[in-house]
Amino acid sequence: MKLGHQTWVFPSKPVILSSAAIGGPLEAQGPLADDFDTLHGDMMLGQSSWEKAEKTLLEECCDKAIEKAGLTKEQIDYFLCGDLMNQIVSSSFTARTLQTPFLGLFGACSTSMEGLALASLIVDSQSADYVLAATSSHNSSAEKQYRYPTEYGAQKPPTAQWTATASGAAVVGREGTGLRVTSATIGRVVDMGLTDPFNMGAAMAPAAFHTIESHFRDLQISPTAYDLVVTGDLGRVGHSILSELFQQHQIEIPPEQYKDCGMMIYGENPNVWSGGSGCGCCASVTYGHLLNRMKRGEWKRILVVATGALLSPLTFQQDESIPCIAHAVSIEAESEEGVQ
Amino acid sequence: MKLGHQTWVFPSKPVILSSAAIGGPLEAQGPLADDFDTLHGDMMLGQSSWEKAEKTLLEECCDKAIEKAGLTKEQIDYFLCGDLMNQIVSSSFTARTLQTPFLGLFGACSTSMEGLALASLIVDSQSADYVLAATSSHNSSAEKQYRYPTEYGAQKPPTAQWTATASGAAVVGREGTGLRVTSATIGRVVDMGLTDPFNMGAAMAPAAFHTIESHFRDLQISPTAYDLVVTGDLGRVGHSILSELFQQHQIEIPPEQYKDCGMMIYGENPNVWSGGSGCGCCASVTYGHLLNRMKRGEWKRILVVATGALLSPLTFQQDESIPCIAHAVSIEAESEEGVQ
């Protein structure tokens, strides 16, 4: 149901029947390790290339989410997936394995919530019984594609972020018990003219702000409607900028009620500079850690705002600035009894 | 509304309020030239790079579709778009220009119907009043990214296809008069083990077959329900293979009722080998030529089946085969009076 300019409300409140998170070696050292279903010690996952490792990560995560929902892959009506690889090959090859009708998405690191928003719309409109939404990223495949060969050991500035080796997946269904998706706000592209691909957090913060402000406006609610607002992958730099934007615009979100997935996934590890990033960061933190805490009753309503930087190495070379986007999805625990 | 395993039926029959097609110099020489809204004589479109030319093509096409619908861009609720460039930058940068809430898609050359299917679902579920679905491709930007530098003058086999320099866009709305979208079938990935990126038509034909067969099965209809079944970009080679598959499986579609956009766009021009391809091929032929002929009353119901090869240069280098997909959308003229 359309509400306001860019927000969907889902009257049937589609259920997140299950979710899964899979990570790599660095994620295993982070403070959220216990919230991953599987943690791999080997960046290659036994495969012959980083790209095949990423595909394996994503396949495992989808399998785990389907298994946790008590379903078989044949019961999944649609698979919505995207990733950072050129031509989203991790997703397409996983779709080949799953043999589920497939809709390929691209929203860079905003893909996780783009997928969850669309999955919820499809389920809410009774166009499917079960939809699987997933995404992934792999540090080495992303470094290889977007940046310098890792063997160069190129230094990065403190504003840079570390692409997570992680995947997150969720099965959304029409009926059952679990956390529920109540609304979604689809972002506009915001581009403040920043051009530094090693400072994505600063570039993406205004897009996150715009989507969050639109969400509150469209639904005519205030931040108190949520126990937690969490951005995907702004990192320390972007988190700080967004916090300032909240203050400047009188959006009152107490510091303890605003978190960022990119800051949470690796804790205080200084080797990740400003924090984590990559499609798999927001996806694995949300589908692992955040939903686990909701299930434990710590929060009743959260707003997950996945942010994406929609540049490519080529647009950077051609002196373009960085277009950014953010998609927000609200997740609710209906009642304590209703939550598994 | 879910019907069968992978088909949506849209009870409200969303209206294609307008559509636009823009092409380049080679498209201007083809037999469908009169059906393009604008034809550019310059592959650069006055821009400084092929990529910027592609973005300009897409922007112009979106503007034209919005203008033809009698709307302003502020009235468009959502923009669904994808293209062949890495990180779909043509689409993302166009979304920056439009400032419309944006959902990025990737389905290679199947993107046109992925977008139209989702746009129709969003409109049918009353989640938007107006959705713009678009896609583009540019021969030179695609050759540069996917193949050899054009300056090499590398020879291609007769099974190769020519990436169209074209864009197609449609505005889908809840109310008004025009052609209507009645159903959509979302494809599974089909991979028959073919590995030759210069023979995409052969790789994609089985995916088209699978989607068409699923469409008829899910809706419990026969090919006689349509005046025309048209595939996107199989070219002569793929068209011939799909025609054989129809025969083998007793799907009776008379030869004159099955066409392919890749064969139509350039006619008998021998320089395009097996025919046209690229996201913009199926999109511009459908949103220009095919809808024009429907509006003239030549066909009442058509099924557009856009096919996509979901490989990347990297998966080819890593000896993977080519995963393919096809999405089908049925378009109807409600009645002769109802058609503008």
Side-chain angles (χ1 to χ4, degrees):
Chain A
M1 192 168 77
K2 184 189 173 189
L3 206 75
H5 296 290
Q6 59 198 92
T7 298
W8 295 326
V9 171
F10 306 120
S12 72
K13 298 186 181 180
V15 185
I16 300 177
L17 292 168
S18 68
S19 67
I22 307 233
L26 195 68
E27 292 67 29
Q29 293 171 29
L32 311 186
D34 289 348
D35 290 304
F36 285 88
D37 293 278
T38 308
L39 286 160
H40 288 277
D42 169 20
M43 285 292 278
M44 297 295 282
L45 280 83
Q47 301 299 309
S48 58
S49 73
W50 291 322
E51 294 81 11
K52 290 181 183 180
E54 179 174 337
K55 184 197 72 168
T56 303
L57 194 73
L58 180 54
E59 285 176 345
E60 279 186 10
C61 196
C62 291
D63 284 349
K64 178 61 77 176
I66 295 169
E67 178 199 318
K68 286 169 83 174
L71 298 169
T72 63
K73 64 181 186 173
E74 290 75 21
Q75 290 176 280
I76 304 294
D77 294 304
Y78 301 100
F79 175 48
L80 274 57
C81 197
D83 60 87
L84 293 173
M85 290 292 91
N86 294 342
Q87 289 75 53
I88 63 163
V89 287
S90 308
S91 303
S92 297
F93 281 78
T94 296
R96 181 177 74 179
T97 306
L98 284 172
Q99 283 296 300
T100 303
F102 169 55
L103 291 160
L105 309 178
F106 182 80
C109 308
S110 72
T111 303
S112 57
M113 290 305 117
E114 179 181 354
L116 186 59
L118 278 170
S120 302
L121 180 80
I122 292 170
V123 167
D124 185 65
S125 66
Q126 305 189 12
S127 304
D129 296 321
Y130 303 111
V131 178
L132 175 66
T135 183
S136 67
S137 56
H138 188 291
N139 184 273
S140 303
S141 65
E143 286 294 315
K144 174 179 158 186
Q145 178 178 284
Y146 287 102
R147 302 179 188 107
Y148 301 105
T150 43
E151 290 82 356
Y152 284 11
Q155 283 200 318
K156 290 187 183 178
T159 52
Q161 292 176 245
W162 179 275
T163 305
T165 301
S167 175
V171 177
V172 181
R174 288 175 61 190
E175 288 171 5
T177 53
L179 302 167
R180 287 171 174 273
V181 181
T182 51
S183 68
T185 298
I186 304 303
R188 284 185 169 81
V189 171
V190 175
D191 185 339
M192 304 299 282
L194 299 188
T195 55
D196 180 3
F198 289 118
N199 192 357
M200 300 282 207
M204 296 190 293
F209 176 78
H210 188 280
T211 296
I212 292 167
E213 189 186 38
S214 302
H215 181 80
F216 292 143
R217 182 202 64 218
D218 283 354
L219 294 178
Q220 298 188 298
I221 56 175
S222 75
T224 57
Y226 294 102
D227 302 317
L228 183 76
V229 172
V230 58
T231 47
D233 318 344
L234 293 183
R236 266 172 276 280
V237 174
H239 179 275
S240 159
I241 295 172
L242 182 55
S243 299
E244 275 178 45
L245 287 170
F246 287 150
Q247 281 197 327
Q248 282 171 19
H249 292 80
Q250 282 93 47
I251 291 184
E252 289 176 15
I253 303 180
E256 67 276 14
Q257 283 177 30
Y258 165 44
K259 290 177 183 285
D260 180 73
C261 296
M263 289 169 72
M264 297 166 81
I265 189 167
Y266 301 118
E268 297 300 316
N269 187 337
N271 297 328
V272 300
W273 311 289
S274 183
S277 69
C279 294
C281 179
C282 180
S284 67
V285 171
T286 301
Y287 294 142
H289 182 72
L290 297 176
L291 299 195
N292 282 347
R293 289 182 67 172
M294 290 188 78
K295 288 178 198 164
R296 288 200 298 266
E298 291 186 46
W299 303 308
K300 288 206 168 176
R301 295 186 67 182
I302 71 169
L303 183 69
V304 184
V305 188
T307 53
L310 304 175
L311 81 170
S312 78
L314 187 139
T315 62
F316 170 71
Q317 288 158 8
Q318 293 189 356
D319 290 329
E320 290 277 7
S321 52
I322 305 175
C324 296
I325 200 161
H327 303 301
V329 174
S330 63
I331 303 173
E332 274 185 38
E334 219 179 6
S335 67
E336 280 183 28
E337 305 87 280
V339 183
Q340 287 187 313
Chain B
M1 193 168 79
K2 184 188 173 189
L3 206 75
H5 296 290
Q6 58 197 92
T7 298
W8 296 326
V9 171
F10 306 121
S12 73
K13 298 185 180 180
V15 184
I16 299 177
L17 292 168
S18 68
S19 67
I22 307 233
L26 195 68
E27 292 68 29
Q29 293 171 29
L32 311 186
D34 289 347
D35 290 304
F36 285 87
D37 293 278
T38 308
L39 286 160
H40 289 276
D42 168 21
M43 285 292 279
M44 296 297 281
L45 280 83
Q47 301 298 310
S48 57
S49 73
W50 290 323
E51 294 81 11
K52 290 181 184 181
E54 179 174 336
K55 184 196 72 165
T56 303
L57 195 73
L58 180 55
E59 285 176 345
E60 279 186 11
C61 196
C62 290
D63 284 348
K64 179 60 76 176
I66 295 169
E67 178 200 316
K68 286 170 82 174
L71 298 170
T72 64
K73 63 181 187 175
E74 290 75 21
Q75 289 176 280
I76 304 295
D77 294 304
Y78 301 99
F79 175 47
L80 274 57
C81 196
D83 59 88
L84 292 173
M85 289 292 92
N86 294 342
Q87 289 75 54
I88 61 164
V89 287
S90 308
S91 303
S92 298
F93 281 77
T94 297
R96 181 178 72 178
T97 307
L98 284 172
Q99 283 296 299
T100 302
F102 169 55
L103 292 160
L105 309 178
F106 182 81
C109 308
S110 72
T111 304
S112 57
M113 290 305 117
E114 178 181 353
L116 186 60
L118 278 171
S120 303
L121 180 80
I122 291 170
V123 166
D124 185 64
S125 66
Q126 304 190 12
S127 304
D129 296 321
Y130 303 111
V131 179
L132 174 65
T135 183
S136 67
S137 56
H138 187 291
N139 184 272
S140 302
S141 66
E143 286 293 313
K144 174 179 159 187
Q145 179 178 284
Y146 286 101
R147 302 180 187 105
Y148 302 104
T150 43
E151 291 81 357
Y152 284 11
Q155 283 201 319
K156 291 187 181 177
T159 52
Q161 291 176 246
W162 179 274
T163 305
T165 301
S167 175
V171 176
V172 181
R174 288 176 60 190
E175 287 171 7
T177 53
L179 302 168
R180 288 171 174 272
V181 181
T182 50
S183 67
T185 298
I186 304 303
R188 285 185 169 81
V189 171
V190 175
D191 185 338
M192 304 299 281
L194 299 189
T195 55
D196 181 3
F198 289 118
N199 193 356
M200 301 282 207
M204 296 189 294
F209 175 78
H210 187 279
T211 295
I212 293 167
E213 189 186 39
S214 302
H215 181 81
F216 291 143
R217 182 202 63 217
D218 283 354
L219 294 178
Q220 299 189 298
I221 56 175
S222 75
T224 57
Y226 294 102
D227 302 317
L228 182 76
V229 172
V230 58
T231 46
D233 319 342
L234 293 183
R236 267 171 276 279
V237 174
H239 180 275
S240 160
I241 295 172
L242 182 55
S243 300
E244 275 179 45
L245 286 169
F246 287 149
Q247 281 197 327
Q248 281 171 19
H249 292 81
Q250 282 94 45
I251 291 184
E252 288 175 16
I253 304 180
E256 66 276 14
Q257 283 177 30
Y258 165 45
K259 290 177 183 285
D260 180 73
C261 296
M263 289 170 71
M264 297 166 81
I265 188 165
Y266 301 118
E268 297 300 317
N269 186 336
N271 297 328
V272 301
W273 310 289
S274 183
S277 69
C279 294
C281 180
C282 179
S284 67
V285 172
T286 301
Y287 294 142
H289 181 72
L290 296 176
L291 299 195
N292 283 346
R293 289 182 67 172
M294 290 189 78
K295 287 178 199 164
R296 289 200 298 266
E298 290 186 46
W299 303 307
K300 288 205 169 175
R301 295 187 68 183
I302 71 169
L303 183 69
V304 184
V305 188
T307 53
L310 303 175
L311 82 169
S312 79
L314 186 138
T315 61
F316 169 71
Q317 287 157 8
Q318 293 189 356
D319 291 329
E320 290 277 7
S321 52
I322 305 176
C324 296
I325 200 161
H327 303 301
V329 175
S330 63
I331 303 173
E332 274 185 36
E334 220 178 6
S335 67
E336 279 184 29
E337 306 88 277
V339 183
Q340 288 186 313

